[in-house]
């Protein structure tokens, strides 16, 4: 399924800078070639059999408030694949149902702050179904000489053209589905359309190897015209080796960009770029499982940490063991050691500790501090022995 908004242009059939007259006439002309001239070919959200005159009149009249230089309307193309058309039996009723769902998604995808969401009924749009396509001068088959311009393409070529106004029905909101626009998420719109097709019609997308090969051949032909000749058989082998994965197609896109930019100009460079694009990326190191070497290098660290913890426990046991209390200055304290309160309930550890390994307790310096509080060296060289002497000395310094 290919769904796209044709780029805004100022010239040609799809010009949307003025009246929709040329585009409506072109779509009607294509219908006449398919022998549908005896009936109206357009439909919208509610009706069928709408004539071209009404389409042009409604689109051209719904332009009030469009900014200068902005498109007045947009052209959409819905192109199911041949496999999808065979799944639907090329039923026009089912194609109309799906087109209305696509336009419902188109309206709902416009988001603006402080404004209500839109539905398809808020739009001014018309669609028509065409059952054939013709080659143009830009097609690969025409450039390679396999087909001629305006030649009819083979197989099922049914597709839908949609004309939608750039303003809503009340002409109060501008609706421009530009890629990268803040109010329209182009990618989300395409994904929603694909999901709806699969759910509505019970279709499961499958890409055969033949389709992959056809796509690859087209890319090889484009590169050949750009001046880069690749070995077709080798490219097919590379594609099959990588099962035509997403990384492989990304690599092909990188090769095409490199050829256009001039960074790739030989076949070997293209092969190297494909190999680098398809190589498996290394996972994040922190998520990788540890190998045997890392485990072995981790074991000594565990042993070292265990030894450190053991040493800390032994030191703690020594510190918490019964300590000798230093005698006071008046030598009235008992010389026998007084045990301290310990949180370690292991008497066998305290018995094995020698007195030499026990660190002395901290000396109580409070008596010394109180004794030195009023003691200092005066200017006369004599030591102040009382508080009054110290007071007189301070007054002398202030004077």
């Amino acid at each position: 399924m290919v769904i796209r908004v044709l780029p805004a242009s100022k010239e040609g059939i799809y010009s949307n800078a003025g009246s929709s007259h040329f585009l409506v006439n072109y779509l009607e002309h294509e219908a006449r070639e398919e022998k549908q001239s005896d009936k109206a070919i357009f439909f919208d959200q509610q009706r069928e059999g709408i004539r071209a005159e009404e389409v042009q009149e409604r689109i051209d009249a719904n332009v009030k408030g469009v900014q200068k230089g902005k498109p007045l309307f947009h052209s959409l193309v819905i192109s199911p694949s041949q496999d999808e058309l065979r799944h639907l039996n090329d039923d026009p009723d089912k194609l109309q149902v799906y087109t209305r769902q696509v336009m419902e998604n188109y309206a709902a995808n416009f988001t603006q702050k402080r404004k209500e969401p839109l539905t398809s009924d808020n739009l001014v749009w018309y669609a028509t179904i065409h059952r054939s396509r013709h080659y143009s001068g830009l097609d690969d088959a025409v450039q390679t000489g396999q087909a001629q311009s305006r030649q009819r393409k083979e197989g099922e070529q049914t597709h839908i053209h949609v004309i939608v106004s750039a303003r809503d029905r009340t002409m109060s909101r501008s609706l421009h589905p530009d890629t990268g626009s803040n109010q329209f998420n182009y990618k989300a719109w395409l994904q929603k359309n694909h999901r709806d097709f699969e759910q509505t019609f019970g279709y499961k997308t499958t890409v055969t190897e033949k389709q992959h090969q056809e796509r690859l051949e087209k890319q090889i032909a484009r590169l050949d015209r750009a001046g880069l000749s690749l070995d077709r058989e080798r490219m097919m082998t590379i594609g099959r080796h990588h099962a035509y994965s997403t990384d492989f197609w990304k690599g092909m896109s990188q090769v095409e960009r490199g050829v256009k930019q001039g960074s790739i100009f030989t076949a070997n460079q293209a092969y190297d770029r494909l190999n680098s694009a398809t190589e498996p990326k290394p996972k994040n190191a922190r998520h990788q499982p540890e190998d045997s070497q890392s485990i072995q290098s981790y074991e000594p660290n565990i042993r070292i940490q265990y030894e450190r913890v053991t040493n800390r426990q032994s030191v703690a046991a020594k510190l918490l063991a019964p300590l000798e209390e230093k005698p006071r200055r008046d030598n009235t304290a008992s010389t026998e050691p007084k045990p301290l309160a310990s949180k370690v309930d292991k008497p066998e550890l305290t018995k094995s500790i020698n007195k030499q390994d026990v660190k002395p307790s901290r000396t109580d310096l409070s008596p010394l501090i109180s004794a030195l509080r009023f003691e200092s060296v005066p200017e006369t060289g004599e030591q102040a022995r009382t508080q009054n002497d110290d007071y007189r000395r301070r007054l002398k310094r202030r004077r």
Side-chain angles (χ1 to χ4, degrees):
M1 181 71 66
V2 177
I3 303 174
R4 65 194 196 103
V5 179
L6 298 180
S9 61
K10 296 182 179 180
E11 298 179 358
I13 297 173
Y14 295 97
S15 174
N16 52 12
S19 175
S20 61
H21 172 73
F22 295 102
L23 179 58
V24 173
N25 284 350
Y26 166 75
L27 297 178
E28 189 179 24
H29 175 73
E30 292 292 319
R32 290 194 188 101
E33 288 189 356
E34 297 173 2
K35 299 180 180 181
Q36 298 181 16
S37 57
D38 56 337
K39 62 179 181 179
I41 61 173
F42 291 94
F43 65 93
D44 63 2
Q45 187 68 24
Q46 304 294 340
R47 300 182 298 154
E48 300 177 12
I50 303 174
R51 303 197 66 83
E53 294 79 8
E54 180 181 351
V55 173
Q56 178 184 341
E57 181 181 355
R58 291 297 308 278
I59 293 292
D60 291 349
N62 202 76
V63 295
K64 183 179 179 181
V66 177
Q67 296 179 1
K68 185 178 180 179
K70 289 288 186 178
L72 303 179
F73 59 90
H74 296 281
S75 302
L76 282 62
V77 177
I78 304 173
S79 302
S81 65
Q82 294 187 1
D83 187 63
E84 291 169 338
L85 290 173
R86 286 191 293 267
H87 182 77
L88 299 178
N89 294 323
D90 207 358
D91 189 347
D93 294 334
K94 294 181 179 179
L95 293 174
Q96 287 185 7
V97 169
Y98 181 64
T99 302
R100 287 166 176 157
Q101 182 62 45
V102 170
M103 297 310 297
E104 192 71 41
N105 298 337
Y106 178 88
N109 200 40
F110 284 98
T111 56
Q112 289 181 339
K113 294 181 179 180
R114 297 183 296 275
K115 289 190 177 181
E116 297 180 357
L118 298 175
T119 64
S120 181
D121 293 331
N122 300 122
L123 305 178
V124 178
W125 69 272
Y126 300 92
T128 181
I129 299 175
H130 287 178
R131 296 189 176 277
S132 63
R133 279 196 181 93
H134 298 83
Y135 288 103
S136 66
L138 300 177
D139 289 329
D140 296 335
V142 176
Q143 296 185 9
T144 57
Q146 300 177 2
Q148 297 180 356
S149 181
R150 296 300 302 169
Q151 179 182 342
R152 188 167 181 170
K153 293 184 178 182
E154 301 80 8
E156 295 88 349
Q157 298 294 336
T158 302
H159 58 285
I160 302 100
H161 285 274
V162 182
I163 309 175
V164 56
S165 176
R167 299 284 282 178
D168 67 336
R169 191 176 295 275
T170 61
M171 288 182 283
S172 60
R173 296 176 62 174
S174 295
L175 308 174
H176 298 291
D178 302 328
T179 304
S181 173
N182 294 329
Q183 66 169 341
F184 190 86
N185 192 330
Y186 197 88
K187 184 177 181 181
W189 177 56
L190 296 180
Q191 292 176 349
K192 183 68 166 60
N193 295 334
H194 284 284
R195 289 197 302 268
D196 288 344
F197 185 85
E198 294 178 354
Q199 294 175 2
T200 303
F201 304 108
Y203 178 80
K204 186 175 181 181
T205 304
T206 55
V207 183
T208 62
E209 185 174 354
K210 182 179 179 181
Q211 293 174 334
H212 283 304
Q213 292 179 355
E214 292 176 354
R215 177 182 175 183
L216 183 56
E217 287 179 352
K218 291 180 179 179
Q219 286 188 298
I220 294 174
R222 287 199 299 267
L223 292 172
D224 186 60
R225 291 194 299 271
L228 181 64
S229 298
L230 299 176
D231 186 358
R232 180 181 176 279
E233 296 298 331
R234 182 172 180 179
M235 292 298 298
M236 292 295 176
T237 303
I238 294 175
R240 286 192 298 268
H241 177 71
H242 297 287
Y244 300 101
S245 62
T246 304
D247 292 335
F248 171 76
W249 294 117
K250 287 182 179 179
M252 290 298 300
S253 300
Q254 293 176 5
V255 170
E256 287 197 63
R257 287 195 299 269
V259 172
K260 293 179 181 179
Q261 296 172 0
S263 60
I264 296 179
F265 46 87
T266 63
N268 290 332
Q269 288 179 324
Y271 300 144
D272 294 340
R273 180 65 61 85
L274 285 175
N275 291 331
S276 62
T278 53
E279 286 179 356
K281 298 179 181 179
K283 297 182 180 179
N284 197 340
R286 62 182 179 181
H287 296 296
Q288 289 182 351
E290 297 180 349
D291 54 3
S292 59
Q293 184 177 0
S294 61
I295 294 175
Q296 292 176 1
S297 62
Y298 186 66
E299 288 180 355
N301 296 333
I302 298 177
R303 190 179 299 108
I304 293 172
Q305 293 178 3
Y306 176 76
E307 292 176 356
R308 290 177 179 175
V309 171
T310 306
N311 294 335
R312 291 196 191 101
Q313 292 178 354
S314 60
V315 171
K318 294 178 181 180
L319 292 176
L320 295 176
L323 303 177
E324 289 185 354
E325 197 174 31
K326 278 191 173 182
R328 296 184 181 178
R329 293 180 180 178
D330 53 1
N331 296 327
T332 57
S334 175
T335 57
E336 296 182 359
K338 184 180 290 185
L340 299 176
S342 175
K343 294 183 180 180
V344 180
D345 299 327
K346 293 185 178 181
E348 63 276 4
L349 292 177
T350 59
K351 293 180 180 179
S352 61
I353 298 175
N354 299 326
K355 293 182 180 180
Q356 298 176 356
D357 298 334
V358 177
K359 294 183 179 180
S361 62
R362 183 176 296 177
T363 305
D364 187 10
L365 299 178
S366 56
L368 180 60
I369 294 174
S370 59
L372 296 176
R373 182 171 300 170
F374 300 105
E375 294 180 1
S376 62
V377 179
E379 295 179 357
T380 58
E382 296 180 359
Q383 186 176 4
R385 299 182 180 276
T386 63
Q387 185 174 358
N388 295 331
D389 295 339
D390 185 64
Y391 177 72
R392 286 193 298 271
R393 179 185 57 78
R394 290 182 183 180
L395 286 179
K396 184 178 180 181
R397 285 186 178 181
R398 291 178 184 177
R399 292 174 184 174

